[in-house]
């Protein structure tokens, strides 16, 4: 297993959760809500790549697609999506229901699902990789929620841009011979 690549992907995947957590941190969520949101994001980032992995195996089995090219496409797509999202204006509500917390966790973990599609061409240590994704995204979410109280909104957008650029570069590097 290439642990450095898994860590870089994990940090890149966590940037979306971090940037949105920065924004939500500015509205003064209760500690219980912060904890619950962190747990939800962590669980999603563990489960979604596994679901993507299962679907990725089905895609590779039924379609003659080079797994390396699939990883390139997935990482580049996620990176471009993160760049586009970084320029959208976000409307933030200061009181979140359980459904809103679940929707937040789902939204920031969709990129983990996409990475799961190509995970088998990166490593065969699926559970360890998903655990790293989960811990990293939970840490970034928790840190972002608390840090959001103290720093400017622009930093959140910059972290999403940085995460998108890193994923695009990883996708390009991954497909090079």
């Amino acid at each position: 297993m290439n642990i450095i690549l898994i860590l870089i992907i994990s940090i890149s995947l966590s940037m979306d959760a971090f940037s949105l957590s920065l924004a939500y941190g500015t509205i003064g969520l209760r500690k219980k809500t912060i904890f619950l949101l962190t747990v939800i994001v962590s669980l999603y980032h563990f489960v979604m790549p596994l679901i993507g992995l299962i679907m990725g195996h089905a895609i590779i089995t039924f379609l003659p697609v080079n797994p390396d090219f699939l990883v390139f496409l997935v990482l580049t797509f996620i990176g471009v999506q993160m760049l586009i999202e970084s320029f959208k204006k976000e409307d933030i509500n200061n009181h979140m229901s359980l459904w809103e917390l679940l929707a937040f966790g789902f939204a920031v973990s969709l990129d983990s699902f996409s990475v799961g599609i190509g995970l088998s061409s990166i490593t065969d240590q699926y559970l360890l990789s998903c655990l790293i994704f989960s811990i990293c995204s939970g840490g970034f979410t928790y840190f972002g929620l608390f840090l959001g109280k103290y720093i400017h909104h622009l930093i959140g957008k910059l972290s999403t841009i940085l995460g998108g650029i890193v994923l695009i570069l990883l996708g390009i590097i991954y497909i090079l011979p």
Side-chain angles (χ1 to χ4, degrees):
M1 175 164 106
N2 188 346
I3 192 71
I4 301 296
L5 180 59
I6 295 298
L7 287 172
I8 291 171
I9 291 171
S10 180
I11 291 168
S12 297
L13 291 175
S14 300
M15 288 293 113
D16 195 26
F18 178 72
S19 65
L20 288 176
S21 295
L22 278 172
Y24 277 91
T26 62
I27 62 174
L29 297 173
R30 295 178 301 147
K31 287 183 180 182
K32 180 181 176 182
T33 304
I34 289 171
F35 176 76
L36 185 57
L37 188 55
T38 300
V39 169
I40 288 170
V41 169
S42 294
L43 288 174
Y44 270 124
H45 274 84
F46 184 82
V47 172
M48 293 297 276
L50 293 175
I51 295 170
L53 180 69
I54 293 166
M55 294 183 85
H57 278 299
I59 291 170
I60 291 170
T61 301
F62 296 113
L63 297 174
V65 177
N66 179 348
D68 291 341
F69 185 69
L70 187 60
V71 172
F72 160 74
L73 287 177
V74 168
L75 292 178
T76 302
F77 174 76
I78 296 167
V80 169
Q81 179 185 3
M82 286 176 71
L83 289 174
I84 291 169
E85 289 294 320
S86 71
F87 293 104
K88 290 183 179 177
K89 185 173 175 146
E90 298 166 15
D91 187 22
I92 298 173
N93 181 3
N94 68 351
H95 201 65
M96 298 178 74
S97 69
L98 178 60
W99 290 111
E100 290 170 321
L101 295 174
L102 291 171
F104 176 95
F106 182 75
V108 300
S109 68
L110 282 175
D111 49 357
S112 292
F113 169 81
S114 301
V115 167
I117 292 173
L119 190 60
S120 64
S121 32
I122 298 170
T123 183
D124 59 351
Q125 299 291 319
Y126 310 130
L127 292 178
L128 179 59
S129 297
C130 292
L131 183 62
I132 292 170
F133 296 158
S134 176
I135 291 169
C136 190
S137 66
F140 271 79
T141 299
Y142 188 80
F143 183 63
L145 289 168
F146 277 105
L147 190 61
K149 294 178 184 180
Y150 304 106
I151 61 174
H152 191 269
H153 239 128
L154 183 61
I155 300 299
K157 291 188 182 299
L158 289 177
S159 68
T160 302
I161 291 169
L162 179 63
I165 290 170
V166 167
L167 283 176
I168 291 169
L169 290 174
L170 278 174
I172 292 169
I173 290 169
Y174 202 83
I175 197 154
L176 294 175

